[in-house]
Amino acid sequence: MDSLLLGSIPKASVITSGRSDWRSKGFTKSCYASSYVRIASWQKAWKIQNDIQITRFHQNNNKGMGGGYACPESDRKYVVNAASEQSFESEPGADDRKNLWHAVTGALDAFYRFSRPHTVIGTALSIVSVSLLAVEKLSDFSPLFFTGVLQAVVAALFMNIYIVGLNQLSDIEIDKINKPYLPLASGEYSFTTGAAIVASFSVLSFWLGWVVGSWPLFWALFISFVLGTAYSINLPMFRWKRFAVIAAICILAVRAVIVQLAFFLHIQTHVFKRPALFSRPLIFATGFMSFFSVVIALFKDIPDIEGDKVFGIRSFSVRLGQKRVFWICVSLLEMAYGVALLVGAASPCLWSKIITGLGHAILASILWYRAKSLDVKSKAAITSFYMFIWKLFYAEYFLIPLVR
């Protein structure tokens, strides 16, 4: 059987000896290449066929007495498909498509890391959550409401990318120590590419805010732009991130005050055309997120202590030590959850009292359990805990609309 199969495949020696004849007939090098590809494909097919024969032979012997082996139709199809697959993989077009796919996915991954997705998610959730505080009845869930929320989220995300991108442009050398996986620090993005992305998203954010025509939205974008620029840019009188207290105030102003008040007023006054008011849930959201913003401002510097020391960033972690700042952050969050439990207990709505009280109690317990088991000396553990705090931040924005 092997001899029959081999007889149907051209031998390499015959091919080699016939090269001069091929040249005389005008065959080109591409003909040689395609011929060798077909030969390699048939050789692979023969090997597969031979393995199938050996397997079937052993199977028949295991069953007892049996006759000769006959190649079934399914096996022949398997051999032909294997040969066809080999030929297809050898086509230059397949490699081009694979390279294009890798280039696209690589570019998306680099932009994903550049945009700092945990901040993007936090911004989107906070705007949606605060917008829901303006909803008073079911009829408020109209296309107009969803359009207004979408406009606010997109404009704010554009500004968010500007702020985090500018911070990376200003911290390339620091990030080579603290966050070498970021595109600018790793060299995936040049400084020019990063600057172009940052400039483009700032323009898009202001353009959308102006087109929408909502003054609360526009002022939220403008104040975020000013504070984000002053926080990061390395110019005289700026780069406020060098000063721990001012840096914390910047983050608190944007995350706790601007997001809560401005985007609530965007929905309340611009979308619903109602008079501005500051309800009990809105005051709670602003106060609670003030605690949370301070914690984020303090905690984000704990994993970055090495680079901050080298470049003279006098964060609280550098001045007080990682362990002390860590437990200050945990204590502040536990205090915030305690206040949230009291606010939930004072709610006139039974369902709000149960959900918000139980929800905050669970989050406080999980926080304490995770904090007790953390190795503060491990940078990986600290970084993981920082991302856990962001998850608590996300969870809170699911509870805030339920505070009544």
Side-chain angles (χ1 to χ4, degrees):
M1 180 61 70
D2 292 347
S3 62
L4 290 175
L5 187 60
L6 285 171
S8 64
I9 302 177
K11 295 183 178 179
S13 60
V14 175
I15 301 286
T16 305
S17 62
R19 287 181 180 174
S20 59
D21 296 337
W22 289 0
R23 289 192 184 97
S24 63
K25 293 179 181 179
F27 285 91
T28 63
K29 292 181 180 180
S30 61
C31 295
Y32 298 150
S34 59
S35 298
Y36 284 124
V37 168
R38 288 193 295 271
I39 292 167
S41 301
W42 278 107
Q43 287 174 340
K44 181 177 180 181
W46 173 81
K47 185 179 182 302
I48 295 170
Q49 177 65 46
N50 191 42
D51 292 342
I52 293 172
Q53 291 178 22
I54 294 172
T55 303
R56 290 298 180 89
F57 176 76
H58 287 298
Q59 289 175 350
N60 291 334
N61 286 343
N62 291 336
K63 291 179 181 178
M65 295 296 292
Y69 175 77
C71 177
E73 185 65 25
S74 60
D75 292 344
R76 283 196 293 271
K77 289 181 180 179
Y78 183 67
V79 173
V80 171
N81 289 339
S84 301
E85 182 181 352
Q86 178 67 23
S87 299
F88 177 77
E89 289 175 353
S90 303
E91 293 179 3
D95 292 336
D96 292 342
R97 288 191 292 272
K98 186 180 294 185
N99 292 337
L100 178 60
W101 173 251
H102 286 319
V104 172
T105 54
L108 291 175
D109 177 67
F111 182 75
Y112 176 81
R113 284 178 281 118
F114 181 79
S115 64
R116 308 295 281 149
H118 61 280
T119 65
V120 169
I121 296 171
T123 298
L125 280 178
S126 62
I127 293 173
V128 173
S129 178
V130 171
S131 298
L132 289 172
L133 291 178
V135 174
E136 297 177 356
K137 51 187 181 295
L138 286 177
S139 60
D140 287 341
F141 290 108
S142 62
L144 185 64
F145 168 76
F146 291 109
T147 301
V149 172
L150 182 62
Q151 291 168 342
V153 168
V154 174
L157 290 184
F158 287 167
M159 184 56 66
N160 190 95
I161 293 173
Y162 162 78
I163 292 172
V164 298
L166 180 65
N167 187 55
Q168 292 173 67
L169 284 172
S170 305
D171 286 355
I172 294 177
E173 297 302 320
I174 298 177
D175 287 340
K176 287 179 180 179
I177 300 174
N178 293 336
K179 303 180 183 75
Y181 54 86
L182 293 177
L184 285 166
S186 66
E188 294 174 80
Y189 280 178
S190 65
F191 184 88
T192 303
T193 300
I197 294 174
V198 164
S200 299
F201 276 93
S202 65
V203 171
L204 286 171
S205 179
F206 280 121
W207 172 79
L208 183 56
W210 183 262
V211 168
V212 171
S214 168
W215 282 110
L217 175 59
F218 184 84
W219 280 109
L221 298 175
F222 180 75
I223 295 173
S224 299
F225 173 85
V226 171
L227 293 179
T229 302
Y231 177 88
S232 297
I233 198 166
N234 197 4
L235 291 175
M237 304 296 293
F238 292 106
R239 197 162 175 76
W240 292 350
K241 67 181 296 180
R242 294 175 298 169
F243 313 105
V245 175
I246 298 178
I249 291 174
C250 287
I251 295 175
L252 185 148
V254 174
R255 289 283 176 190
V257 180
I258 300 301
V259 169
Q260 318 306 319
L261 300 182
F263 290 104
F264 172 83
L265 292 175
H266 164 68
I267 300 296
Q268 179 76 5
T269 63
H270 177 75
V271 176
F272 290 152
K273 308 298 183 183
R274 295 169 182 163
L277 57 86
F278 299 98
S279 61
R280 178 173 171 270
L282 179 62
I283 295 172
F284 165 77
T286 304
F288 190 95
M289 285 306 166
S290 296
F291 276 89
F292 232 120
S293 300
V294 170
V295 169
I296 289 176
L298 295 176
F299 206 102
K300 74 178 187 61
D301 295 325
I302 298 178
D304 298 341
I305 191 170
E306 295 178 8
D308 290 349
K309 283 181 178 179
V310 173
F311 289 90
I313 304 296
R314 300 288 295 167
S315 65
F316 280 112
S317 297
V318 172
R319 295 161 62 182
L320 302 178
Q322 291 174 296
K323 186 174 182 179
R324 183 177 296 179
V325 173
F326 171 80
W327 283 109
I328 289 174
C329 292
V330 173
S331 300
L332 287 174
L333 278 184
E334 293 293 355
M335 288 172 57
Y337 283 129
V339 173
L341 285 171
L342 295 177
V343 172
S347 174
C349 300
L350 179 61
W351 61 267
S352 176
K353 183 179 300 187
I354 294 173
I355 295 176
T356 57
L358 186 61
H360 286 112
I362 292 173
L363 294 178
S365 301
I366 295 173
L367 170 65
W368 186 253
Y369 175 78
R370 285 285 301 268
K372 286 178 63 178
S373 60
L374 183 76
D375 180 11
V376 182
K377 296 181 180 179
S378 170
K379 182 176 180 179
I382 287 290
T383 303
S384 177
F385 197 90
Y386 176 60
M387 299 312 299
F388 168 70
I389 286 179
W390 274 96
K391 292 175 184 176
L392 293 177
F393 183 78
Y394 305 154
E396 187 58 34
Y397 275 117
F398 283 100
L399 290 174
I400 281 176
L402 303 176
V403 176
R404 298 293 171 178

